[in-house]
Amino acid sequence: MGELVSITINGMQMQASKGSLLIDKLLDENIHIPHFCYHQALGKDGNCRMCMVEIEGQKRPQIACDTPVKDGMIVRTKGENIEKVRRDILELELINHPIDCPTCDQAGECKLQDYYMESGFYESRINLEAKNHARKRVDLGSNVMLDQERCVLCTRCVRFCSTITKTHELGVISRADHSVIGTFPGKPLNNPYAMNVIDLCPVGALTNKDFRFKQRVWFLETFDAICSGCSKGCNIYVDHRKEKYKDDQIFRFRPRVNKNINGWFMCDEGRLSHHNENENRFEDIIVEKSKTDITTAIASIFKELTTSKKTLLLLSANLSYEEMLNLKNLASKLNLDISGYSPNTIDENFADDYLRKSDKTSNRASFKELNIDDTKEFFEEKLNNSSLVLIIDNNYFDTNIKLLENKKIISFFTHNCATIEHSNISIALASFYEKSGTYINCDGIKQKVVSKMNKNNPKKNITTIIEDLKSLIEKGTI
C-alpha cells in the first residue's frame, strides 16, 4: 500500500492510497458507480465512459477508472449534473440494443438493465426499425454463446483472453456502430478458463450454454463454498433450487472473489463439476448384496469391527477436516490402522501455472495436519496385515480390485463405483456440497463450507455414522 492521502467523496472524508485509481476506492467503499468496461482483474480501459464523476477544480466530468487519487481531492458521484451526463452516455449505449430482456438469460443479473432502471427514462427516442442488427446466436466454443446485438463493447472478454489466458481468441470486428465481438477465423474460444468471460460480461451478450434457459436467476438460492476439483480450493457460489415436486438441485457454480486464493476466476472443469453432484449417485444401503436400513448396516459394521483381528481405514482426501479427525479418533479408540493413500487423484496433465493443481482433491493438506500417513509403503504394509478394510469415499481399489481378495470390505461412497460391488457392506454418503466442513488448500489456507442444500432424503455424513458406532461401542464389549 502506498502513501495514504485524504480525499472527500460525496461529503465524506476518507483515506486512499496516493496514485491508486479512484474507481477502486469507490468500489472498495461500496459507493455506487455505474461502469461496464472496468474490472479490477483487468484494469482500466476507459471505453464505456459510464463511471463519470465530478471532481472539484476540473472543468468537465472525469472517468473514475482513469483518475489517480490525489491529496485533497473532492469527488461527487451524485447530483443532477453528473447523473444527467451518465444518463446521456447510457442512452447512447442503448441505441442499438435489442429489447429482449424477457428472453435474455442475463435478466436479473444485467448491469445494463440495472442502470437503465435507475436512469428513469423509459420512453425511447430511437426508431426501433433504425437499429443496427447483428448475429443473435454465435457459438464461440467452450460452452459460451454470443449474442452480438446485446454487446456494449466493454471488451472485458477480449482483455481476459489477451492478458489473463494469453490465448487471444477474441477481438473487435468491424467499425463504429457496426463493431461486434467475435473470434478470429479458424480459432474458436478454447482455453481451460474460457467460461470466465460469461461472468465478466456485464450484459447478456455472453451466456452459459450449460445453464442457458435452465432457470431464472431470481428463483435460485445461493451459498458460499469452495470448488472440490483440485487442491487450490477456488471460492465459488453454489446456485441451487428446490422446485415443486422435485429434489434440491445445483444448477451452476460461479467464481467468488478471494484475492488470496483464486482472485476473480475459476477453471471451466471446476465450473462444470456441479453435474457430478447429480450424476451416478450411490443411493442405497447394502449388507451382503441386500438393501437394508441404516440401523441394520451400522449394527453389521459394529459386529465386523468387534470380530476382525486387524482393520485398515482408507480415507479420501476429499473428506472434511472434521470427518478425518473423527475417523482418526475412532481408529485410535479401536486400535485400527488409518491411511490416506490415493495416488489415482494426482494428475500432472491437469496442472498449469495459474489456478489448476495436479492434486485433484480438496483436502489432502489435512492429512499432514492430522499426521495421517498417505505413503504407498505404509498403505501396502497395513493392507497386507488386515482382514477388514473400511473404505471411505476412496476409489483407489476401482482399478486394483484384486488387492481386496480374501478380505471383508465395508465401503462408504457418494457415487457408484466398482469397489461397491465387491463390498460386504456399503452405505451411501452425503456428497461434498450436501455437508458442512473445513478444508485446507495447497497453500495451507483453511476454509469453512456451510451447506444449505435441502434434500428430500438427506444422506448421512461419515461423522454421523461414527457417532452412531460410538454409541454401540459404549454399550458393547470393545
Side-chain angles (χ1 to χ4, degrees), residues 158 299 315 400:
V158 176
L315 312 189
N400 300 274

Side-chain angles (χ1 to χ4, degrees), residues 55-220:
I55 300 176
E56 200 163 293
Q58 298 282 352
K59 292 182 179 179
R60 59 183 66 87
Q62 304 293 313
I63 52 173
C65 70
D66 198 21
T67 298
V69 169
K70 297 178 182 178
D71 190 26
M73 179 183 283
I74 299 175
V75 180
R76 286 185 292 275
T77 67
K78 301 176 182 178
E80 185 177 343
N81 292 337
I82 193 62
E83 289 173 19
K84 182 183 185 305
V85 169
R86 291 201 292 258
R87 278 200 303 272
D88 291 344
I89 294 169
L90 182 62
E91 190 170 20
L92 293 173
E93 293 277 12
L94 290 165
I95 285 175
N96 290 308
H97 199 83
I99 306 174
D100 57 3
C101 289
T103 60
C104 180
D105 230 29
Q106 190 79 1
E109 296 179 319
C110 175
K111 291 301 180 184
L112 184 64
Q113 192 178 53
D114 293 343
Y115 301 154
Y116 166 77
M117 295 303 292
E118 288 173 11
S119 68
F121 56 82
Y122 304 136
E123 293 184 11
S124 175
R125 295 190 285 171
I126 306 300
N127 180 357
L128 297 182
E129 303 303 319
K131 287 178 178 277
N132 289 332
H133 295 285
R135 297 173 67 192
K136 295 291 289 179
R137 289 172 295 279
V138 184
D139 190 343
L140 297 181
S142 295
N143 278 297
V144 180
M145 187 70 79
L146 168 65
D147 186 317
Q148 291 179 332
E149 283 188 351
R150 295 175 186 163
C151 180
V152 293
L153 290 172
C154 69
T155 71
R156 285 184 183 183
C157 56
V158 176
R159 286 178 284 146
F160 175 81
C161 291
S162 62
T163 62
I164 304 296
T165 66
K166 297 179 172 59
T167 48
H168 303 279
E169 298 102 329
L170 298 177
V172 181
I173 302 166
S174 196
R175 288 177 161 187
D177 60 353
H178 289 281
S179 296
V180 292
I181 296 294
T183 53
F184 292 104
K187 193 171 186 179
L189 187 60
N190 183 24
N191 67 71
Y193 299 90
M195 293 179 73
N196 286 288
V197 299
I198 297 163
D199 308 306
L200 288 170
C201 183
V203 294
L206 297 172
T207 50
N208 183 346
K209 282 176 62 181
D210 181 67
F211 178 72
R212 191 174 163 90
F213 305 132
K214 299 285 177 61
Q215 285 290 319
R216 281 301 197 181
V217 297
W218 49 83
F219 293 134
L220 296 175

Side-chain angles (χ1 to χ4, degrees), residues 5 73 153 204 264 268 275 287 307 318 374 388 420:
V5 295
M73 179 183 283
L153 290 172
W264 286 261
D268 289 1
H275 290 293
V287 175
T307 57
N318 278 317
D374 64 347
L388 174 65
I420 294 173

Side-chain angles (χ1 to χ4, degrees), residues 4 14 21 28 75 93 106 152 167 186 209 220 236 262 335 337 352 368 442 445 468 470:
L4 292 178
M14 54 189 70
L21 293 178
D28 290 344
V75 180
E93 293 277 12
Q106 190 79 1
V152 293
T167 48
K209 282 176 62 181
L220 296 175
I236 62 172
N262 57 300
N335 193 28
D337 294 317
D352 61 24
K368 185 176 181 180
C442 57
I445 300 173
D468 292 342
K470 283 182 179 177

Side-chain angles (χ1 to χ4, degrees), residues 18-29:
K18 184 178 181 180
S20 62
L21 293 178
L22 175 59
I23 194 169
D24 282 334
K25 183 62 179 175
L26 296 174
L27 295 174
D28 290 344
E29 295 290 337

